[in-house]
Amino acid sequence: QVTLRESGPAVVKPTQTLTLTCSFSGFSLNTPAMCVTWVRQPPGKALEWLALIDWDGDKHYTTSLETRLTISKDTAKNQVVLTMTNMDPGDTATYYCARMDGSVGAFDIWGQGTMVTVSS
Amino acid sequence: EIVLTQSPGTLSLSPGERATLPCRASQSVSVNYLAWYQQKPGQAPRLLIYGASTRATGIPDRFSGSGSGTDFTLTISRLEPEDFAVYFCHQYGSSPQTFGQGTKVEIK
């Protein structure tokens, strides 16, 4: 059974750096065509794709946030980490990680999400 | 970046009716790498359709996807009570990947 779970702080202050961890099981990021991605959703709003890392270590970022985002993986721990610098109240959202299986292509399994509030 | 437009933002329909949800891309979606997700309040999105027309595992056959290039459609043939939710389209053919703004299907 494939599962993903996000973890990180519920509240961060403006200008701080957010670090989120996606812990997964049931698949390996060493498997060709496997990827893990991050998506966020402000309250009551649409989904926004943030970043993706693939089995080969290639990384992709959304254009508008590229300078603030870093995605990395620890294959041995089955974890993917997303950092976002210079947090702003506008970054308040639920942050999801999800798996992208190359045989499907889309995000087939999602974590439950973690709500992050940016407030002083 | 490819912009996906979902309009209308809300569809008001009755159980048993047919729902047709469009998604238009600002440029052609590579290899029809277009997916649809369903999201209910307080839940993560659930993959319904990928590759524009392939149902994901466990998705009922009342859900179908069609289209190519820049115009795609999600159709729910007969709405069940559990189908009232928000639906998002997503293109994963080119980076940056993008989502549409969503269509809410509500009970009329």
Side-chain angles (χ1 to χ4, degrees), chain B residues 6-61:
Chain B
Q6 293 185 252
S7 181
T10 303
L11 271 177
S12 296
L13 296 166
S14 300
E17 287 194 295
R18 182 184 188 89
T20 302
L21 286 66
C23 174
R24 173 162 286 179
S26 60
Q27 51 191 283
S28 186
V29 175
S30 175
V31 201
N32 290 336
Y33 282 160
L34 192 287
W36 291 92
Y37 302 85
Q38 176 193 68
Q39 189 179 34
K40 297 180 181 179
Q43 296 184 16
R46 176 175 72 143
L47 177 65
L48 300 175
I49 302 285
Y50 62 93
S53 61
T54 303
R55 273 188 300 277
T57 303
I59 301 304
D61 60 7

Side-chain angles (χ1 to χ4, degrees), chain A residues 73-117:
Chain A
K73 64 184 176 92
D74 186 329
T75 305
K77 290 184 177 179
N78 281 349
Q79 290 181 336
V80 170
V81 175
L82 181 76
T83 61
M84 182 180 291
T85 61
N86 195 24
M87 292 292 285
D88 177 88
D91 297 314
T92 293
T94 297
Y95 287 74
Y96 297 99
C97 64
R99 183 183 80 161
M100 184 173 189
D101 179 345
S103 65
V104 169
F107 305 155
D108 62 337
I109 308 293
W110 293 66
Q112 64 185 15
T114 186
M115 179 66 192
V116 178
T117 300

Side-chain angles (χ1 to χ4, degrees), chain A residues 4-111:
Chain A
L4 301 98
R5 186 183 76 250
E6 305 87 352
S7 59
V11 181
V12 296
K13 290 180 167 49
T15 75
Q16 287 187 333
T17 293
L18 171 69
T19 299
L20 295 173
T21 300
C22 176
S23 301
F24 58 87
S25 63
F27 70 99
S28 172
L29 251 185
N30 280 328
T31 302
M34 283 295 175
C35 311
V36 170
T37 193
W38 286 92
V39 174
R40 72 177 179 180
Q41 185 174 37
K45 296 191 176 181
L47 301 168
E48 179 182 20
W49 177 74
L50 298 177
L52 177 145
I53 189 164
D54 72 15
W55 67 279
D56 205 23
D58 286 340
K59 305 169 186 179
H60 301 268
Y61 299 99
T62 190
T63 307
S64 61
L65 297 170
E66 191 166 12
T67 58
R68 298 174 52 204
L69 294 172
T70 302
I71 191 170
S72 62
K73 64 184 176 92
D74 186 329
T75 305
K77 290 184 177 179
N78 281 349
Q79 290 181 336
V80 170
V81 175
L82 181 76
T83 61
M84 182 180 291
T85 61
N86 195 24
M87 292 292 285
D88 177 88
D91 297 314
T92 293
T94 297
Y95 287 74
Y96 297 99
C97 64
R99 183 183 80 161
M100 184 173 189
D101 179 345
S103 65
V104 169
F107 305 155
D108 62 337
I109 308 293
W110 293 66

